[in-house]
Amino acid sequence: MSTPAARRLGGTLTRRLLFVALTGALVSAGVGMGSAQASKGSPAASGKVTPGTASAGDSAGPDTQGVNGAAPTRFATFTLNGGYVASGTSLRNRGYGTVYASGIPTGATVRAAYLIWTVLGNGEGGSFNDGIFRGHSIVGTRVGSGSSPCWPEASQGFTYRSNVTSWVTGNGAYSLRNFASGRTDAADPWTSTAVRPLAEGASLVVVYSKARYPMTRVVLHNGYGMTSSAANALTLNASWGFAASNPVGDVRTTFIGGDGQDAPEPASTFNGVPLWQPDWDGTDRPLPRFSHGNLWDTDTARVGRLVAPGQTSATIRVTGGSDCLAWAGQATSIAVNGAADTDGDKLLDGWEVNGYDANGDGIVDVNLPAFGANVVRKDLFVEMDYMGAEATCPCHLPLAADLRRIVAVYANAPYAYNPNGQRGIRLHLDAGAARGAEFNLGGGNLVAHDDDLNPVVPQFTAIKNANFNPLRAKIFYYMIWAHNYDGGSSSGNAFAIPNDSFVVTLGSWPSHGTSDVKVGTFVHEFGHDLGQLHGGNDNGNYKPNYLSVMNYAFQVTGVPRTGSLPADFGYSWSTLPSRNENALNENIGLNSTTASTYKTRWFCPSGAQVQSPGTANGPLDWDCSGVATGIRAADINGDGFRSTLGTYNNWAHLVYGGGAVGGGVSATTRLMNQPSLQESIPSELTLKEARQRQLVR
């Protein structure tokens, strides 16, 4: 027989052995049950099946505690801002191992930690509940027992739990040793002699809290239940005690148990739906695994899509098939309010973790988790249509390298601190298939070339209506890389502030816009969608103390930096001191350490725009007299009069959810319904103006 030697005998003798186990007898009929057993590598007897499996027709009887045991039962419930993580390790033929905890957020507090483990034997040994966790002796509480999962060397299985909260500090490696094991040489169970007791494995479940994380209920179960066929499947009711919100929030569940190996078994189910994550193939550490698996699994699945609004509990079922399993624990968590917006990006938590079902037909229309959305980090989604996807530039749609530059601007945002403690915003750009899988989220269309969208609002709207899936409207901002509009050479338009749509039009610009021009103009126009103005605190422009691509002075070049630092194509990240054009102190420049690594630009009385030779936080020759000293009066932003120039911190005041995104109404829709409003749409930076200011050649 080519399969590994059997751990359970087939035919009449198999059923006899199983009967002996069920009745609790400790003497085998015809099979030696001493502490040292015959080698698993010996020739397989007629009728034997793959180790750890149940042959067809076998039945172990009903799920009764003390026989097969029973499904895990609840032992702890937590309601907190946070969640749980779980990980495990095999202990077979070792009695030692390492659990690697991961996924606990930086800055979180460990509220509880439990170690759950299982040992097989002929009766309970005195050391079964002992072990050393991270150097500390622990004594576990027995939380369940039942028949062995089909090993002839042991007739019973026992599960234990120990509270190890005192020694769990966060992510990292947690050593286990001195757990009950007849062998400690890490021999492969399928090619070596078995010696009782047979340690299966151990799992660490850590419950954590962190401020600003979603309010979550965590329910923990433990026990011991053996299943070897559909006839003795095990079922657990995980009740969280409140009606699930609409949309349902993040729901996770973790299956913990022993004896899984690389033999097929029916899928475990959650609310009747088969899951692929709990494979019961013995996939826990260490590596490399034994020849047929490590006999321990700690498998987590995200199951929010399988919970209906209003549901107060879930049914979890584990079934043995050709593989006998010992179910030892289950952890389940559910967010209390999936309609919350934890990270403030106007995308509801339930949408970000389960996907967005726009029309309520039970089918996810926008698969946000597949796109990498996160409830504790801000996400922005932009679908980009384009009038040309040229492989080289001149090009309408930027090349992939330029799109990466745009993404990096938002990823490096200094003030967008998220609930998870990280800085930056994740920008998801969708160009369809034109720029590779990296920028393909299922939208992004090539649209008919038009030299001039004129009038821009109805023509832009017509293209959007023909190409943008309205089921995406609450999630995606929409823009077009177009040619020109309204008979001019304007670089783009956002139509309103804030909004959900914009256009970039660089068709008349050299090369349809260099890389810098494309990057800066996208960030500028999208900034309007995100509520930002040309002057920060107002719509004044060319303010030397407003270091932002929202400022025309920096839109297509970025804000220049000192030394070898690259230009900054982002928004302002500090509210710099105001500058009174009637009393400019040339000795102190912008008078802020924030500006130390930046240069700036301003207008001379001649109308020429100049750039500071060095840092903007130092002497600046505001009146272009050749000497930077004293108090001077000058119109440094070139608007024709002198006033006080205020500034703004863009990054700290982005407005999320403009227009239809998040559930509002698109400004372009309002403009279409009220054509008179279109007259108020401002013109953006034109090629002529950019050349006059020597911003482009």
Side-chain angles (χ1 to χ4, degrees):
M1 189 172 179
S2 60
T3 58
R7 58 170 153 153
R8 199 164 67 86
L9 302 181
T12 303
L13 187 53
T14 298
R15 288 187 287 275
R16 183 177 181 189
L17 283 173
L18 194 52
F19 172 78
V20 170
L22 292 174
T23 57
L26 302 180
V27 179
S28 171
V31 178
M33 297 294 288
S35 60
Q37 302 300 319
S39 170
K40 291 285 191 184
S42 60
S46 176
K48 288 185 177 181
V49 294
T50 304
T53 66
S55 58
D58 286 338
S59 175
D63 300 331
T64 304
Q65 186 70 34
V67 182
N68 277 13
T73 57
R74 179 191 304 233
F75 73 87
T77 300
F78 301 86
T79 302
L80 40 67
N81 294 94
Y84 81 90
V85 298
S87 54
T89 183
S90 169
L91 297 174
R92 178 59 69 90
N93 286 352
R94 295 182 180 89
Y96 62 86
T98 302
V99 177
Y100 294 87
S102 63
I104 302 172
T106 301
T109 299
V110 173
R111 295 299 183 189
Y114 301 96
L115 190 72
I116 297 171
W117 69 96
T118 295
V119 181
L120 309 180
N122 283 351
E124 184 178 18
S127 64
F128 283 18
N129 64 338
D130 294 345
I132 296 177
F133 177 86
R134 206 182 185 188
H136 302 275
S137 296
I138 59 174
V139 177
T141 300
R142 192 179 83 184
V143 296
S145 64
S147 56
S148 166
C150 312
W151 287 90
E153 296 85 357
S155 60
Q156 292 176 284
F158 305 87
T159 297
Y160 304 90
R161 183 189 76 239
S162 179
N163 188 325
V164 294
T165 308
S166 299
W167 305 301
V168 175
T169 55
N171 296 323
Y174 293 89
S175 63
L176 310 179
R177 58 187 177 90
N178 287 20
F179 285 79
S181 180
R183 296 190 67 146
T184 58
D185 57 357
D188 190 315
W190 284 278
T191 60
S192 62
T193 300
V195 181
R196 290 191 305 270
L198 308 177
E200 294 276 72
S203 294
L204 177 65
V205 180
V206 182
V207 180
Y208 65 84
S209 65
K210 183 170 183 177
R212 296 179 63 199
Y213 265 51
M215 181 64 68
T216 301
R217 181 155 294 172
V218 180
V219 184
L220 305 181
H221 295 75
N222 59 201
Y224 183 95
M226 196 280 281
T227 172
S228 58
S229 69
N232 62 358
L234 301 168
T235 301
L236 179 158
N237 181 264
S239 173
W240 44 82
F242 62 88
S245 61
N246 187 9
V248 175
D250 192 12
V251 186
R252 303 171 190 241
T253 194
T254 300
F255 295 77
I256 298 170
D259 234 62
Q261 60 169 335
D262 61 355
E265 68 284 327
S268 298
T269 64
F270 186 95
N271 281 341
V273 178
L275 303 177
W276 63 266
Q277 291 92 343
D279 54 17
W280 299 111
D281 282 349
T283 48
D284 276 8
R285 293 172 182 268
L287 295 174
R289 299 186 181 97
F290 293 135
S291 58
H292 293 281
N294 277 351
L295 301 169
W296 193 256
D297 289 276
T298 311
D299 295 331
T300 300
R302 178 173 273 174
V303 291
R305 293 182 185 175
L306 307 182
V307 175
Q311 193 172 331
T312 60
S313 64
T315 300
I316 303 172
R317 186 176 175 88
V318 173
T319 304
S322 60
D323 192 359
C324 299
L325 304 173
W327 194 6
Q330 194 79 17
T332 303
S333 68
I334 178 171
V336 173
N337 183 15
D341 177 19
T342 297
D343 55 11
D345 56 10
K346 296 302 182 188
L347 304 178
L348 302 187
D349 289 359
W351 301 348
E352 293 194 278
V353 296
N354 301 317
Y356 174 56
D357 176 7
N359 51 14
D361 62 358
I363 299 173
V364 170
D365 297 297
V366 185
N367 195 345
L368 289 167
F371 296 158
N374 193 316
V375 301
V376 291
R377 182 211 56 221
K378 290 179 173 65
D379 294 277
L380 292 169
F381 291 85
V382 181
E383 178 171 326
M384 304 182 298
D385 285 357
Y386 40 88
M387 290 186 177
E390 300 87 349
T392 60
C393 290
C395 54
H396 289 81
L397 177 67
L399 302 179
D402 299 327
L403 297 180
R404 292 188 194 104
R405 289 184 62 193
I406 293 171
V407 169
V409 168
Y410 294 86
N412 294 327
Y415 270 92
Y417 291 108
N418 300 292
N420 64 2
Q422 297 175 354
R423 58 181 270 180
I425 301 164
R426 186 167 184 189
L427 175 63
H428 308 256
L429 297 178
D430 185 6
R435 293 297 183 249
E438 181 181 359
F439 300 107
N440 187 355
L441 304 182
N445 305 285
L446 176 65
V447 301
H449 190 278
D450 188 336
D451 281 343
D452 186 24
L453 296 175
N454 193 352
V456 64
V457 173
Q459 292 203 9
F460 175 92
T461 302
I463 295 173
K464 179 177 180 180
N465 290 343
N467 293 277
F468 181 62
N469 185 345
L471 299 180
R472 289 180 144 208
K474 287 187 179 181
I475 309 299
F476 278 82
Y477 295 83
Y478 176 82
M479 64 85 59
I480 304 173
W481 293 95
H483 199 78
N484 286 328
Y485 74 88
D486 287 348
S489 63
S490 173
S491 57
N493 208 313
F495 311 112
I497 302 173
N499 196 14
D500 58 7
S501 303
F502 65 99
V503 63
V504 173
T505 45
L506 300 169
S508 296
W509 293 57
S511 298
H512 294 349
T514 64
S515 176
D516 283 354
V517 171
K518 283 184 168 69
V519 171
T521 302
F522 181 101
V523 176
H524 176 98
E525 298 302 341
F526 192 31
H528 287 316
D529 273 14
L530 298 174
Q532 304 310 300
L533 305 176
H534 288 148
N537 64 323
D538 56 33
N539 262 318
N541 220 317
Y542 291 106
K543 297 179 179 179
N545 53 335
Y546 182 40
L547 304 180
S548 170
V549 293
M550 298 309 299
N551 184 342
Y552 282 2
F554 308 119
Q555 175 186 322
V556 296
T557 65
V559 184
R561 306 288 297 275
T562 58
S564 60
L565 293 173
D568 184 351
F569 281 84
Y571 307 122
S572 62
W573 58 280
S574 177
T575 302
L576 298 182
S578 297
R579 297 291 86 183
N580 182 352
E581 292 181 308
N582 290 300
L584 295 165
N585 187 337
E586 293 191 325
N587 297 308
I588 60 176
L590 297 187
N591 193 30
S592 173
T593 56
T594 299
S596 294
T597 63
Y598 288 87
K599 299 179 181 181
T600 191
R601 297 189 179 113
W602 68 94
F603 288 96
C604 293
S606 65
Q609 191 176 43
V610 296
Q611 178 174 301
S612 61
T615 177
N617 184 38
L620 296 177
D621 184 11
W622 290 125
D623 64 354
C624 304
S625 65
V627 180
T629 184
I631 307 299
R632 300 287 185 266
D635 175 18
I636 56 177
N637 74 325
D639 61 359
F641 58 94
R642 296 196 296 270
S643 62
T644 297
L645 307 180
T647 65
Y648 197 63
N649 182 337
N650 295 139
W651 283 118
H653 295 93
L654 296 184
V655 178
Y656 298 89
V661 174
V665 178
S666 176
T668 49
T669 299
R670 294 196 301 271
L671 291 169
M672 284 293 291
N673 293 335
Q674 294 180 271
S676 62
L677 295 177
Q678 297 178 24
E679 298 177 2
S680 65
I681 297 175
S683 174
E684 290 283 63
L685 180 67
T686 65
L687 176 60
K688 179 180 179 180
E689 185 175 355
R691 281 175 167 162
Q692 286 177 339
R693 309 308 184 198
Q694 298 184 343
L695 301 174
V696 297
R697 295 182 182 273

